[in-house]
Every structure is written in C-alpha cells, then in structure tokens.
Amino acid sequence: MGHGIHQIDLLLEVLGEWTEITAVAERLDREVETEDFSSAIVRFANGAIATVVTSVISPREVSYLRFDFQDATVEVEHLYGYDNSSWTWTPAPHAAENLAAVEAWSPQENVPSSHRQQLAELLDSMEAKVRPRASGEEGRRTLEFIAALYQSAETGKSVKRSELSQDGTYYTAMHDESYIYGKQN
C-alpha cells in the first residue's frame, strides 16, 4: 500500500465515498512483510465501481489511473508526480462531435502534483481560516479504505465501510498478526 497510497487518495478525490471493498493481497515475489501485490473491486456511494491494483513487482514502475465515463475515458500515467501533460481524455464518439466541449475539459492552469503544492494549499487555508481541502477527514477516508482492503484480503470476505468498527482488528493495526503473506492461510 505504501506504493499505491497517493493513487488511492486521487481515486477517492475523483469518485467520492467508497462503500464496499472485495480484495486479494499476496506476497508473490518480494521478501516483504506484507503484500507485494493487491487487487480490489470497490463500490462507491454514487454507483461507480472501480478496480484497484497495486504492485511493486511490475517492471513498468508507473502509476496509472483510468476513469471510464459515459462521455469519455480519462487517464493519468506518471512516475512520482503528474501535470497536465500526464493526462489524456478520449471522448466517446457521441461526445467527440462537439469539439469545443472536449477542448473545455482541459484545465486552464497547469499545476503539477507535489508536496510543495499541497503545503501551499494548506498554508492558504490556514491564512483564510478555512478547513484545508486535504484535511484529516480525507486522510482518515484513505486509511479506512486501506484497512478494509487488508481486512477483505486477509479474511476472504467483502467489507462494507459501514461495518468498520473501533473494536475490530483492522481499526488500529491494519493487519491480523496471525495472517502470514506468502503462505497459504
């Protein structure tokens, strides 16, 4: 998850609140304590469904997100950060007919992803005395997502966000110590 955390943040920023995760995770190739590969099917409150794959065994070593909508497919591929040139928009045939609308999808400013940008937004929010866009609530949402992914992978059961509880194994640990990756459980 350490390699996929920022992509999960971006996925949740785009698709919103998740409601259920069904996942597998395994140590397939690397000598690591937990997984080197995971895959999940995720349901969202707005009806969207996503597949999420994280892997440290892929030779490509890139981050890739693809969003399929009725009017377009939107993709971002990058290594350690992205800007507008990292994104592609492929309109559906019916949407491509309106070239002006498709061109309007492109952002007006090119603001690269970076810790510097996040810190600037945080400082601007503090100065304006407003809650930052990336606040503790968003961080918690991502951590709950990861905890549910591990819980699903380690128990072999789907996990609903509404079922997460403070007394559960995955609330404070994110891992059941009796579960050993790389060994059939």
Side-chain angles (χ1 to χ4, degrees):
M1 281 304 119
H3 292 275
I5 189 79
H6 297 300
Q7 304 325 302
I8 291 170
D9 283 337
L10 182 55
L11 175 76
L12 298 177
E13 175 77 15
V14 173
L15 294 181
E17 298 300 319
W18 65 273
T19 58
E20 183 177 13
I21 296 176
T22 304
V24 295
E26 195 55 73
R27 185 175 72 207
L28 299 174
D29 186 62
R30 304 290 194 264
E31 287 298 320
V32 292
E33 190 174 325
T34 60
E35 85 292 349
D36 57 11
F37 172 86
S38 70
S39 180
I41 298 171
V42 184
R43 292 185 181 276
F44 289 84
N46 62 14
I49 297 175
T51 56
V52 176
V53 175
T54 59
S55 171
V56 296
I57 57 178
S58 172
R60 268 184 80 209
E61 294 187 4
V62 297
S63 295
Y64 174 75
L65 291 168
R66 173 180 160 166
F67 301 93
D68 290 313
F69 303 105
Q70 286 89 351
D71 292 335
T73 294
V74 180
E75 299 166 282
V76 61
E77 184 173 340
H78 65 93
L79 181 63
Y80 305 128
Y82 55 87
D83 64 10
N84 289 0
S85 68
S86 306
W87 293 84
T88 58
W89 295 266
T90 305
H94 70 272
E97 296 169 5
N98 185 349
L99 188 58
V102 171
E103 289 175 356
W105 294 344
S106 183
Q108 300 302 309
E109 292 182 59
N110 187 15
V111 180
S113 68
S114 68
H115 291 112
R116 170 181 265 168
Q117 179 62 28
Q118 289 176 336
L119 182 57
E121 287 184 25
L122 174 65
L123 294 174
D124 289 346
S125 296
M126 291 172 69
E127 188 174 294
K129 297 185 181 351
V130 297
R131 185 178 195 90
R133 186 170 60 97
S135 65
E137 185 176 320
E138 283 75 24
R140 180 183 184 91
R141 176 175 64 176
T142 300
L143 289 174
E144 287 177 345
F145 179 98
I146 292 167
L149 188 148
Y150 279 128
Q151 181 176 343
S152 176
E154 293 180 8
T155 64
K157 298 176 183 173
S158 295
V159 175
K160 293 185 184 213
R161 188 172 184 192
S162 61
E163 297 170 345
L164 296 176
S165 67
Q166 290 185 4
D167 60 347
T169 300
Y170 298 88
Y171 189 83
T172 58
M174 299 237 185
H175 175 58
D176 181 343
E177 290 183 20
S178 67
Y179 189 93
I180 300 170
Y181 284 91
K183 179 181 176 186
Q184 296 296 338
N185 285 292

